[in-house]
Amino acid sequence: MAQSDTVTRILDTAEVLFAERGFAETSLRNITSKARVNLAAVNYHFGSKKALIQAVFSRYLDPFTQRFHTALDELEAQHEGRVIPLETLLETMATTVLAVPAERNSLKVFMRLLGLAYSQAQGHLRRHIQQEYGDVFTRFTELVRQATPDLPDAERFWRLHFMLGTVIFTLSGLDALRDIAEKDYHEQVTVRDLVRRLRPVVVAAMNAPLPPALEEGKYANAQAS
Amino acid sequence: MAQSDTVTRILDTAEVLFAERGFAETSLRNITSKARVNLAAVNYHFGSKKALIQAVFSRYLDPFTQRFHTALDELEAQHEGRVIPLETLLETMATTVLAVPAERNSLKVFMRLLGLAYSQAQGHLRRHIQQEYGDVFTRFTELVRQATPDLPDAERFWRLHFMLGTVIFTLSGLDALRDIAEKDYHEQVTVRDLVRRLRPVVVAAMNAPLPPALEEGKYANAQAS
Amino acid sequence: MAQSDTVTRILDTAEVLFAERGFAETSLRNITSKARVNLAAVNYHFGSKKALIQAVFSRYLDPFTQRFHTALDELEAQHEGRVIPLETLLETMATTVLAVPAERNSLKVFMRLLGLAYSQAQGHLRRHIQQEYGDVFTRFTELVRQATPDLPDAERFWRLHFMLGTVIFTLSGLDALRDIAEKDYHEQVTVRDLVRRLRPVVVAAMNAPLPPALEEGKYANAQAS
Amino acid sequence: MAQSDTVTRILDTAEVLFAERGFAETSLRNITSKARVNLAAVNYHFGSKKALIQAVFSRYLDPFTQRFHTALDELEAQHEGRVIPLETLLETMATTVLAVPAERNSLKVFMRLLGLAYSQAQGHLRRHIQQEYGDVFTRFTELVRQATPDLPDAERFWRLHFMLGTVIFTLSGLDALRDIAEKDYHEQVTVRDLVRRLRPVVVAAMNAPLPPALEEGKYANAQAS
DNA sequence: CATGAATGAGATTTCATTCAT
DNA sequence: GATGAATGAAATCTCATTCAT
């Protein structure tokens, strides 16, 4: 009880502050004082600030990974070896991402954290994530490959990352963008709203015509539709 | 000359370090020692670390803004009041973005900085950019509006940011992605390559079918195609 | 059993770490984690870090004191009131010192600890040793006095400490010196080797001619031979 | 002036506190508060605690090394290629050691520091000293070799270290020993006193008969007199 | 008998900034 | 116009010890 309480309070506070200000701008003092916990507790329970950062991510990514694997298992079972359509795959991923933090009403925090993981200079974090959670991403990528057999491998790689950028950038900067949108268009934007808007865009982007081929390494307008 | 030299050396060093590690993780000591400049020089010449950060951005954004205005002037002159096609607008923006840091071979740095501006907790920076460079973005947005008359305003707003995310995320994380791409697909990826790949994706995304309306009909302007 | 086990493991680990790094540089965490024992166990079993340090010494000094008293008893019995020669006394001490840690193959550790006791700022330790083990040293000193009747008391005092320094310094720094000796002279040096080398040196030092008296005749008992 | 003042105050305070309590037991806070200097000043001027420790040593060892080289130059000039007697060499060393801290009346501190350098776990310090000041010791050793041609090399090595132990142990523990000596023998012991007492002891030790050879004749160079 | 949790104190180090020159 | 010195604040982390169970 006592332990769980302290550890949980630290994690809850840390994820919010990290999401708000980033890792470097959030001191252990900020976290522990807001969590009303002894300053040394972070080091006692987690060992270091780096380990705390990783723990914050694991609390989201562990259940996500598990659910996503399960969801993909089900999909594969349903399709009995047939190719799973791209839209189904994207839908499944979106659903799983949304499901994880649903109970804690903290999708925004999760997305901010993901964005930070990419943009902030935390090599240890990127390594940790790649190492712990790379498998499920590889599995997903392979299914996408089967769903888009006409796309050259390199093109698919880049388009997936284009879309990753779209999603992470949008969702992690959600607050600022939402403010503007509300001011200018009088919209109350929810995350589900955004997902609804994202779906056709992502599908269209993945299915866009191929770019003109390169001409002997340089650029020509020959097109390989 | 001597002063200009010091200032330039500081800016050159700062932009590289900021791009590599972010703002908080880069200390003035890092900058001044790498630039072989006195520690107090930053505060002497720029007043504060915040002002230095803004100066780094201004060095890119001032010429960009100027060129972009000029380019849009020319476009409008050419089309004599007729609507400028979306692809022309995007092409012009891409060209201008690429032109600015061309001489310094530092597009990657520029993009990293833009990414940081969005993702890091530097309120002062976001305010500074909005205030100084909001005009040209507003002008561009208006031209895009004319080029996509069927797109609801809110939808256009979000799709522009989706694409902004794609571009910034991709170009700012260029090095890491490039490494993977080269390893997996034996491609030598150049920035121009990426732009070539981005063009059809962005166009397709902007022209994607509208999302289905929300059930409750809450938002009048979200209309099915 | 369980308790004895824990206590022994702590002592075994502590003496090694203390000898390697000194007292202040060895934390209770170091000790308990290496001994795979609960962090609180040291305070539980010994009360404090200081008490642990003293316990480490007692484990060596208690049996040493006992054996040395016994050995001196035997010597006195053999000599039936006659003076015991200096070399016999030294030999007996050396034998006893070597005997104590023999079973644990840790003479080096013992000597390092003795050296630390003198050189590190552990007032409590020096007081503890003096108080607990001063008697046997006093007894030995008195026998040495009888064996060297021509030596002024002060001179004897200093020379005994000179030799104490020789022995402790050499044996406590044994590892480093042994490395050098092996590298430069291709010798495999054992402790018994060193004792063999020490014997004639110590005897010669104790029997060295007296130093010249101070000019002012300050000290009557310091007389040239 | 200002700089020299702060740096000097730090060094003066640090050497006293280090000598009294050892390195680990002396915190930078102790030093800076006693020196009435800002806490950050140590890191500003020296970079780290380790560097401060080394600086404290250098302040003694640099002039010592210089003077000792000069003194040996003079000795060699006087003897015009002839062997310099052992006692002259020892006398010269003693004189030089005494001369260095004379002006600062801090021989005791110097000796304590030397003792600490050997006994405390400061690998960096031992490396620093060996690297910076090894040369002069090598030169001295070579002269001692010429002065004691009958001594096997290994024997000379060990005897030199025996004597080093004597000197360092005695002089570094001077305070405690002096207290006892004064109490028991009503002597006012000065450092020069001790040197006077040490001289015949060291000479006798160096000239002691060789130890008996090892039974197995393992070491050819350990030869009975 | 033993331990996991917790804590207050204090360690070293780094920071952006200021100031006298 | 520029800089070396200095500094107050705050960073992370480690420490020996205590306490409830």
Side-chain angles (χ1 to χ4, degrees):
Chain A
M1 176 72 83
Q3 185 259 356
S4 151
D5 196 40
T6 298
V7 166
T8 305
R9 279 233 297 285
I10 291 174
L11 286 172
D12 287 348
T13 311
E15 75 176 24
V16 170
L17 292 182
F18 284 155
E20 279 175 5
R21 328 179 184 176
F23 303 119
E25 293 89 347
T26 303
S27 72
L28 296 186
R29 278 187 143 78
N30 293 155
I31 296 169
T32 53
S33 71
K34 184 151 186 258
R36 280 180 301 123
V37 151
N38 185 278
L39 172 60
V42 167
N43 273 43
Y44 175 73
H45 286 289
F46 297 93
S48 70
K49 188 181 181 181
K50 281 185 182 179
L52 171 61
I53 293 176
Q54 296 181 2
V56 165
F57 275 85
S58 294
R59 201 164 56 144
Y60 281 101
L61 291 182
D62 284 343
F64 168 77
T65 304
Q66 196 180 339
R67 282 179 201 229
F68 198 33
H69 269 304
T70 305
L72 293 180
D73 288 346
E74 287 172 9
L75 268 190
E76 290 187 318
Q78 283 170 18
H79 287 78
E80 297 172 330
R82 278 169 290 120
V83 166
I84 306 169
L86 178 62
E87 293 172 43
T88 308
L89 288 170
L90 296 174
E91 198 64 38
T92 303
M93 170 163 244
T95 305
T96 312
V97 168
L98 291 176
V100 169
E103 56 256 25
R104 314 185 50 243
N105 215 9
S106 55
L107 177 63
K108 181 189 72 186
V109 167
F110 182 31
M111 284 298 148
R112 275 291 288 165
L113 290 176
L114 273 187
L116 290 179
Y118 270 90
S119 68
Q120 297 225 348
Q122 300 281 341
H124 72 97
L125 180 56
R126 217 130 46 201
R127 257 172 280 128
H128 170 76
I129 291 179
Q130 170 61 31
Q131 181 181 322
E132 298 286 313
Y133 311 104
D135 280 356
V136 75
F137 188 71
T138 302
R139 181 180 181 191
F140 179 73
T141 305
E142 170 58 19
L143 291 174
V144 170
R145 196 186 62 75
Q146 296 172 14
T148 54
D150 297 335
L151 219 48
D153 284 350
E155 190 68 29
R156 188 184 309 104
F157 168 83
W158 285 110
R159 289 191 178 181
L160 276 175
H161 279 92
F162 292 164
M163 293 304 101
L164 194 60
T166 299
V167 173
I168 287 184
F169 181 89
T170 306
L171 295 185
S172 77
L174 193 55
D175 280 352
L177 294 176
R178 180 148 50 187
D179 288 351
I180 301 173
E182 288 187 11
K183 188 162 64 71
D184 289 1
Y185 310 107
H186 311 291
E187 278 199 352
Q188 291 280 88
V189 189
T190 67
V191 168
R192 265 162 221 288
D193 247 14
L194 272 183
V195 172
R196 183 179 56 89
R197 289 191 197 277
L198 276 167
R199 194 182 305 127
V201 168
V202 170
V203 171
M206 291 300 290
N207 291 323
L210 292 181
L214 292 178
E215 173 200 277
E216 95 260 356
K218 278 301 170 187
Y219 315 115
N221 289 333
Q223 164 198 332
S225 72
Chain B
M1 180 69 82
Q3 186 261 356
S4 151
D5 193 43
T6 298
V7 167
T8 305
R9 280 233 297 284
I10 292 175
L11 286 171
D12 287 349
T13 311
E15 75 176 25
V16 171
L17 292 182
F18 284 155
E20 279 175 4
R21 328 180 185 175
F23 303 119
E25 292 90 347
T26 304
S27 72
L28 294 188
R29 277 186 142 79
N30 292 153
I31 296 170
T32 54
S33 72
K34 184 153 186 255
R36 280 178 303 124
V37 151
N38 186 275
L39 169 61
V42 167
N43 279 299
Y44 178 72
H45 287 291
F46 297 92
S48 72
K49 188 182 182 181
K50 283 185 181 178
L52 170 62
I53 293 175
Q54 297 180 1
V56 165
F57 275 84
S58 294
R59 201 161 58 141
Y60 279 101
L61 291 181
D62 284 344
F64 169 77
T65 305
Q66 196 181 338
R67 282 177 202 231
F68 199 31
H69 270 306
T70 304
L72 293 181
D73 287 348
E74 286 173 10
L75 265 191
E76 289 187 320
Q78 282 170 18
H79 287 78
E80 298 171 330
R82 277 170 289 119
V83 165
I84 307 170
L86 177 61
E87 293 173 43
T88 308
L89 287 169
L90 296 173
E91 199 65 38
T92 302
M93 172 161 243
T95 306
T96 312
V97 167
L98 291 177
V100 170
E103 57 256 25
R104 313 183 52 240
N105 215 12
S106 54
L107 176 66
K108 180 190 70 187
V109 167
F110 184 29
M111 284 296 147
R112 279 287 293 165
L113 291 175
L114 277 186
L116 290 180
Y118 272 89
S119 69
Q120 298 224 347
Q122 301 283 340
H124 71 96
L125 179 57
R126 218 132 44 203
R127 258 173 278 127
H128 170 76
I129 290 178
Q130 172 61 31
Q131 180 181 322
E132 298 285 314
Y133 310 103
D135 281 357
V136 74
F137 188 71
T138 303
R139 181 181 179 189
F140 178 73
T141 306
E142 171 57 20
L143 291 174
V144 170
R145 195 188 60 75
Q146 295 170 15
T148 54
D150 296 335
L151 218 49
D153 284 351
E155 190 69 28
R156 188 184 310 105
F157 168 83
W158 284 110
R159 290 190 179 182
L160 276 175
H161 279 92
F162 291 164
M163 293 305 102
L164 193 59
T166 299
V167 172
I168 287 182
F169 181 88
T170 306
L171 295 184
S172 76
L174 192 54
D175 281 351
L177 293 176
R178 179 149 49 189
D179 286 351
I180 302 173
E182 288 188 10
K183 188 162 64 71
D184 289 1
Y185 309 109
H186 312 292
E187 280 199 353
Q188 292 280 88
V189 190
T190 67
V191 169
R192 264 163 220 288
D193 237 19
L194 272 182
V195 172
R196 182 179 59 89
R197 288 191 197 275
L198 276 167
R199 195 183 303 129
V201 169
V202 170
V203 171
M206 291 299 291
N207 290 324
L210 291 181
L214 292 177
E215 293 88 37
E216 305 101 308
K218 222 177 191 176
Y219 308 123
N221 51 0
Q223 164 220 320
S225 66
Chain C
M1 178 70 82
Q3 186 259 358
S4 151
D5 193 44
T6 298
V7 166
T8 304
R9 279 233 297 284
I10 291 175
L11 285 172
D12 287 348
T13 310
E15 75 176 25
V16 171
L17 292 182
F18 285 155
E20 279 175 4
R21 329 178 183 174
F23 303 118
E25 292 89 347
T26 303
S27 72
L28 294 187
R29 278 186 142 77
N30 293 154
I31 296 169
T32 53
S33 71
K34 184 152 186 256
R36 280 179 303 123
V37 152
N38 185 276
L39 170 61
V42 167
N43 279 299
Y44 178 73
H45 287 290
F46 298 92
S48 71
K49 188 180 181 181
K50 282 185 181 179
L52 171 61
I53 293 175
Q54 296 181 2
V56 165
F57 274 85
S58 294
R59 201 162 56 143
Y60 279 100
L61 292 181
D62 283 344
F64 169 77
T65 304
Q66 195 180 340
R67 284 179 201 229
F68 199 31
H69 270 304
T70 305
L72 293 180
D73 288 346
E74 287 173 9
L75 266 190
E76 289 187 321
Q78 284 170 17
H79 288 78
E80 298 170 329
R82 277 169 289 119
V83 166
I84 307 170
L86 176 63
E87 293 172 43
T88 307
L89 288 170
L90 295 175
E91 199 65 37
T92 302
M93 171 163 245
T95 305
T96 313
V97 167
L98 290 176
V100 170
E103 58 257 23
R104 313 185 50 242
N105 213 12
S106 54
L107 176 65
K108 181 190 68 185
V109 167
F110 183 30
M111 284 295 148
R112 278 288 291 165
L113 291 175
L114 276 186
L116 290 179
Y118 271 89
S119 69
Q120 297 223 348
Q122 300 282 343
H124 71 97
L125 180 57
R126 216 132 47 203
R127 256 172 280 126
H128 170 76
I129 291 178
Q130 172 60 31
Q131 179 182 323
E132 298 286 312
Y133 310 103
D135 281 357
V136 75
F137 188 72
T138 302
R139 180 180 181 190
F140 178 73
T141 306
E142 170 57 20
L143 290 173
V144 171
R145 196 187 63 74
Q146 296 171 15
T148 54
D150 296 337
L151 218 48
D153 284 351
E155 191 68 27
R156 187 185 309 105
F157 168 84
W158 285 110
R159 290 191 178 182
L160 276 175
H161 280 91
F162 292 164
M163 293 305 101
L164 193 60
T166 298
V167 173
I168 288 183
F169 181 89
T170 305
L171 295 184
S172 76
L174 192 55
D175 282 350
L177 293 176
R178 178 148 50 187
D179 287 351
I180 301 174
E182 288 188 9
K183 188 163 64 71
D184 289 1
Y185 310 108
H186 312 290
E187 279 201 352
Q188 292 278 90
V189 189
T190 66
V191 168
R192 265 162 219 288
D193 237 19
L194 272 183
V195 172
R196 182 181 58 90
R197 289 190 196 276
L198 276 166
R199 196 181 304 126
V201 169
V202 170
V203 171
M206 291 299 291
N207 291 325
L210 290 181
L214 291 177
E215 291 91 38
E216 304 100 310
K218 222 177 191 176
Y219 308 122
N221 51 359
Q223 169 220 321
S225 67
Chain D
M1 177 71 83
Q3 185 259 357
S4 151
D5 196 42
T6 298
V7 167
T8 305
R9 280 232 298 283
I10 292 174
L11 285 172
D12 288 348
T13 311
E15 74 176 26
V16 171
L17 292 181
F18 285 154
E20 279 175 5
R21 328 180 184 176
F23 304 119
E25 292 89 346
T26 304
S27 72
L28 295 186
R29 277 185 144 79
N30 293 155
I31 296 169
T32 53
S33 71
K34 183 151 186 257
R36 278 179 303 123
V37 151
N38 185 280
L39 171 60
V42 167
N43 274 44
Y44 175 74
H45 285 290
F46 298 93
S48 70
K49 188 180 182 181
K50 281 185 182 180
L52 171 62
I53 293 175
Q54 296 181 2
V56 165
F57 275 84
S58 294
R59 201 162 57 142
Y60 280 100
L61 291 182
D62 283 343
F64 168 77
T65 305
Q66 196 180 340
R67 283 179 200 230
F68 198 31
H69 269 305
T70 305
L72 293 180
D73 288 345
E74 287 172 10
L75 267 190
E76 290 187 319
Q78 284 169 20
H79 288 78
E80 299 171 328
R82 278 169 289 121
V83 166
I84 306 168
L86 178 61
E87 294 172 42
T88 308
L89 288 170
L90 296 174
E91 198 65 38
T92 302
M93 172 162 243
T95 306
T96 312
V97 168
L98 291 177
V100 170
E103 57 255 25
R104 314 186 50 245
N105 215 10
S106 53
L107 177 63
K108 179 189 71 186
V109 167
F110 182 30
M111 284 297 147
R112 274 291 288 166
L113 291 175
L114 274 187
L116 290 179
Y118 271 90
S119 69
Q120 297 225 348
Q122 300 281 342
H124 72 96
L125 180 56
R126 218 131 45 201
R127 258 173 278 127
H128 170 76
I129 290 178
Q130 171 61 31
Q131 179 181 325
E132 298 286 312
Y133 311 103
D135 281 356
V136 75
F137 188 71
T138 302
R139 181 180 180 189
F140 178 73
T141 306
E142 170 58 20
L143 290 173
V144 170
R145 195 187 62 75
Q146 297 171 15
T148 54
D150 297 335
L151 218 49
D153 284 349
E155 190 68 29
R156 189 184 308 107
F157 167 83
W158 285 110
R159 291 192 177 181
L160 276 175
H161 280 91
F162 293 163
M163 294 304 102
L164 193 60
T166 300
V167 173
I168 288 184
F169 181 89
T170 306
L171 295 184
S172 77
L174 193 55
D175 280 352
L177 294 176
R178 179 148 49 188
D179 287 352
I180 301 173
E182 288 187 10
K183 187 162 63 71
D184 289 1
Y185 310 108
H186 313 289
E187 277 200 352
Q188 290 281 88
V189 189
T190 67
V191 169
R192 264 162 222 287
D193 248 12
L194 272 183
V195 172
R196 183 180 57 90
R197 289 191 196 276
L198 275 167
R199 194 182 306 129
V201 169
V202 170
V203 171
M206 292 299 292
N207 290 325
L210 292 181
L214 291 177
E215 293 88 38
E216 306 100 310
K218 222 178 191 175
Y219 309 122
N221 51 359
Q223 164 219 323
S225 65

